[in-house]
Amino acid sequence: MTTSALRPVAVPLYVGGAALSLFGNSAIAIVLPWLVISTTGDLSAAGVVAAASGIAAVPATFVAGQLVDRLGARRVAVVADLGSATAVASLAVVDLLWGLDLVWFIALGVAGAVFDVPGMGARQALLAGVAQVSGVRTDRVAALYQGGFSLAFLAGPALAGVLLSWWDPVDVVWFTAACSAGAALLTRLVPVAEAPPVAAEDAGLSGLGVVFRSRALVAAVVIGFASSFVFQPLLAVVLPGHFTRLDAPGLLGASMSAYAVGSLVGAAGYAIVTRRSRRLAYVLGLVVMSAGTWLVAPLGAGGFVLAGMAAMGLGGGLFGPVWNVYIAESVPAHVRGRALAWLNATSLVAGPLGLGALALLLDGTTDLGLAAALIAATWTVAATWAVLSRGGRELSGPAPTPAVPAGEPGPDGAQSAGRSIS
């Protein structure tokens, strides 16, 4: 692509669409449990809806990976956001026409999950094409994507909480649906170089085979699994339990905000540090994140927990974009969606496994401090392996030689392997 044909507008449209989509998703993550509990009067009902939605997201992720490779990442991302908007808006429509009950909550919660996670995977797959068509470094696009993610994670739940204090929960649903619809519009406007769909024989390639042929992608799977396995129990059980015992719900919200702010700063730091070394950002991020877990582990005064959460967010913002960049630069476009599906699906599965392991631990003790220390120790082992392993070194190093000709386009016109135009 010549310099005169570059379209820098692709980056703000791409990042804006991704951030608005996540903003809506993070808001509905607050609104839906509130609506379920206020409608049914049953605390366990919210857990049932969340479990059903989580289970449905796993197979949907694999289906979406196939569709990304056949139809193109932009098309799948747009359809996912429109589907998510429809599922969320249906909550208000059903409530108006028939009244919501647990069956409707499960059905519509599953429908939303079927679109939300696959939509995120499609946007990850689109990153390479955005970097190519805009002429912006892949590392910079990934940092901006991570920054938008962090900002949405920070603002979405906060605004949802404010709106719930002003409006009826069903009215807030319309707001979150509008966010997803807006995200679909922005993503549809992202310029991509059109190309014909991939041939059927190429679409039959195995995403798992692509992952196992690459030490770097295996490392990404292990790190993603470990991250979800340890941090979902920390965020969903240990910290809420700790601050409940302290009767300090405000500190729980502050700790989540500290994590999001740290992640936002880390994303900005990634863009700066990677001008010198991607490996430096990766190692520094893992070290800082590990240090943060040990600040949180004693579950002492609120200040230490807040500092630890900020450090964890900072570390995640520094090393989190690395595998998106590696995939954008190194995985052939016609299997990129399926490779990402395996990375995302293993993370989805790891969270419930971690929660189950924590439940077994807490069945014999009520010592949340012990649980936090085990979480910190487990993550430190995983982070050490991530730094020292050959796969980790390849993941954070320069892009390898493409496995297929670099000029071969994918469905969205992205090059089959990584050339970022800088």
Side-chain angles (χ1 to χ4, degrees), residues 12-13 30 33 54 70 85 113 129 151 155 182 191 208 257 276:
L13 288 171
I30 301 297
R70 286 177 178 269
L151 185 60
L208 183 60
S257 296
R276 177 180 178 184

Side-chain angles (χ1 to χ4, degrees), residues 36-378:
V36 171
I37 294 169
S38 64
T39 301
T40 65
D42 184 1
L43 290 173
S44 65
V48 172
V49 174
S53 301
I55 292 169
V58 177
T61 299
F62 289 110
V63 173
Q66 293 279 349
L67 293 176
V68 165
D69 292 337
R70 286 177 178 269
L71 305 176
R74 185 180 66 173
R75 293 184 182 93
V76 175
V78 170
V79 170
D81 278 323
L82 292 176
S84 181
T86 301
V88 171
S90 296
L91 288 166
V93 174
V94 168
D95 184 66
L96 177 65
L97 296 179
W98 302 289
L100 288 164
D101 57 22
L102 182 57
V103 174
W104 276 113
F105 281 125
I106 292 174
L108 295 176
V110 166
V114 163
F115 292 106
D116 289 344
V117 177
M120 185 181 300
R123 282 196 170 81
Q124 290 172 299
L126 186 56
L127 190 150
V130 171
Q132 179 201 349
V133 80
S134 67
V136 178
R137 285 190 312 130
T138 311
D139 281 306
R140 181 170 175 79
V141 177
L144 290 170
Y145 176 89
Q146 179 73 31
F149 184 98
S150 303
L151 185 60
F153 181 75
L154 174 65
L159 183 57
V162 171
L163 293 179
L164 284 170
S165 68
W166 292 347
W167 300 345
D168 185 272
V170 174
D171 295 329
V172 184
V173 160
W174 288 110
F175 170 79
T176 59
C179 289
S180 295
L185 175 61
L186 289 178
T187 303
R188 179 62 185 85
L189 295 175
V190 174
V192 293
E194 294 298 336
V198 176
E201 59 270 21
D202 285 342
L205 293 175
S206 166
L208 183 60
V210 173
V211 171
F212 279 143
R213 283 198 297 268
S214 167
R215 292 187 183 91
L217 292 181
V218 170
V221 168
V222 171
I223 297 166
F225 182 93
S227 177
S228 295
F229 184 83
V230 299
F231 292 128
Q232 188 166 330
L234 178 68
L235 300 179
V237 177
V238 174
L239 288 181
H242 172 61
F243 288 120
T244 298
R245 290 178 178 178
L246 294 180
D247 192 25
L251 286 177
L252 176 60
S255 67
M256 298 302 177
S257 296
Y259 182 90
V261 170
S263 181
L264 187 60
V265 174
Y270 178 86
I272 296 171
V273 174
T274 51
R275 288 184 175 277
R276 177 180 178 184
S277 168
R278 189 180 299 166
R279 173 73 177 170
L280 177 61
Y282 174 81
V283 173
L284 184 61
L286 288 165
V287 170
V288 170
M289 197 169 192
S290 299
T293 63
W294 287 107
L295 279 174
V296 172
L299 295 179
F304 284 98
V305 175
L306 292 179
M309 291 293 287
M312 287 167 53
L314 176 63
L318 278 169
F319 86 84
V322 166
W323 51 62
N324 281 336
V325 172
Y326 182 88
I327 289 169
E329 292 185 343
S330 308
V331 176
H334 60 269
V335 289
R336 191 174 292 141
R338 280 162 286 170
L340 277 164
W342 279 100
L343 268 69
N344 291 333
T346 51
S347 294
L348 284 174
V349 170
L353 290 177
L355 289 168
L358 181 64
L360 290 175
L361 174 65
L362 295 179
D363 186 49
T365 178
T366 59
D367 188 353
L368 291 175
L370 173 62
L374 287 174
I375 286 171
T378 302

